[in-house]
Amino acid sequence: GSRDTTVSDAEKNNRFIGLIAVLCAACTSGFSGVYFEKILKGSQTSLWLRNVQMGLPSVAMALITVFAKDSAAVAKHGFLGGYTPIVWTVVTVQAVGGLIVAVVVKYADNVLKVFATSFSIVIS
């Protein structure tokens, strides 16, 4: 009856919103990748210094968040309380992955980075 068409209209609306969200994410991701490549290739600053410059705002925001939400736990157990070998492995893999991405973009280009990322997703 009429309820089936109402659900169908809601589903169509949700799919359209999802499509718009994915398109916006793809566009902003592409723009940020091209801008990142321009910044890396267009300056005389070393790759390592550029990584530090880009990482410092993230570290500042993370510290603010940790102390705003978990200050009691940090005071009791320390900043690295609860870190297990698995956590250290994940942190190391993410850090090395970020450095590899920076090197690929510096010496290749953003398109190659996207292909490599897509290939790694398919393989894993």
Side-chain angles (χ1 to χ4, degrees):
S2 64
R3 182 181 169 148
D4 292 338
T5 58
T6 306
V7 172
S8 178
D9 291 342
E11 285 179 6
K12 287 179 185 176
N13 192 27
N14 285 341
R15 287 181 184 165
F16 180 72
I17 291 172
L19 176 66
I20 296 298
V22 167
L23 289 175
C24 288
C27 290
T28 55
S29 175
F31 174 74
S32 66
V34 170
Y35 182 72
F36 179 59
E37 182 179 350
K38 177 186 177 292
I39 293 297
L40 280 180
K41 291 183 177 180
S43 71
Q44 298 301 320
T45 307
S46 75
L47 179 65
W48 304 108
L49 181 59
R50 187 63 68 194
N51 276 335
V52 169
Q53 289 173 339
M54 289 189 299
L56 283 178
S58 300
V59 170
M61 288 299 294
L63 286 174
I64 290 168
T65 304
V66 164
F67 287 113
K69 298 210 176 255
D70 297 322
S71 58
V74 170
K76 183 176 179 181
H77 301 291
F79 189 76
L80 300 177
Y83 275 46
T84 63
I86 285 286
V87 172
W88 281 112
T89 302
V90 169
V91 168
T92 303
V93 166
Q94 291 294 316
V96 170
L99 294 174
I100 290 171
V101 165
V103 169
V104 166
V105 171
K106 174 77 175 180
Y107 297 108
D109 63 358
N110 191 49
V111 175
L112 180 62
K113 181 195 77 97
V114 171
F115 278 121
T117 303
S118 302
F119 187 68
S120 71
I121 290 170
V122 168
I123 296 238
S124 63

